[in-house]
Amino acid sequence: MNTANLQMEGTLLALAAICEALKAKGLLTGDEITAALKSAEKGASTRGSCMSGANVEAIRFPIRFLRLAMERDGQSLDYAAIAAGVGRTRERAPL
């Protein structure tokens, strides 16, 4: 496996855990975190006119990963399960 993929996996799991900690400490609500991630995804969409669809989806993947991780409500962060969920919801993911 490409080392960069493993680094991305670790980074996403760490960010998901940080988002959960922010929510648990009451610093941000789940809705506020989700809104911030939606805003990030919209920003990725604005680049779509100058990039291939595959590249735009590559930018959106980590954002969508974190959004799905936030929906797990304290369940263990399983990278493979969350990544598969991103793939299943890719077509219908709202901005």
Side-chain angles (χ1 to χ4, degrees), residues 31-44 63 67 94-95:
D31 289 341
E32 290 170 328
I33 295 169
T34 298
L37 293 169
K38 284 181 181 181
S39 177
E41 191 168 350
K42 283 182 183 178
I63 300 165
R67 285 176 63 190
L95 295 181

Side-chain angles (χ1 to χ4, degrees), residues 1-19 61-62 65-66 69 77-80 82-83:
M1 179 178 277
N2 185 322
T3 303
N5 292 343
L6 296 172
Q7 291 170 337
M8 176 62 76
E9 181 176 335
T11 300
L12 286 172
L13 290 172
L15 285 172
I18 289 169
C19 287
F61 175 82
F65 180 96
L66 292 171
L77 294 170
D78 178 344
Y79 182 86
I82 298 168

Side-chain angles (χ1 to χ4, degrees), residues 14-28 33 70 77:
L15 285 172
I18 289 169
C19 287
E20 281 294 324
L22 290 169
K23 189 169 88 172
K25 288 190 173 275
L27 298 172
L28 292 172
I33 295 169
M70 290 300 303
L77 294 170

Side-chain angles (χ1 to χ4, degrees), residues 8 51-63:
M8 176 62 76
M51 300 177 82
S52 72
N55 285 342
V56 173
E57 286 302 315
I59 292 170
R60 289 177 176 158
F61 175 82
I63 300 165

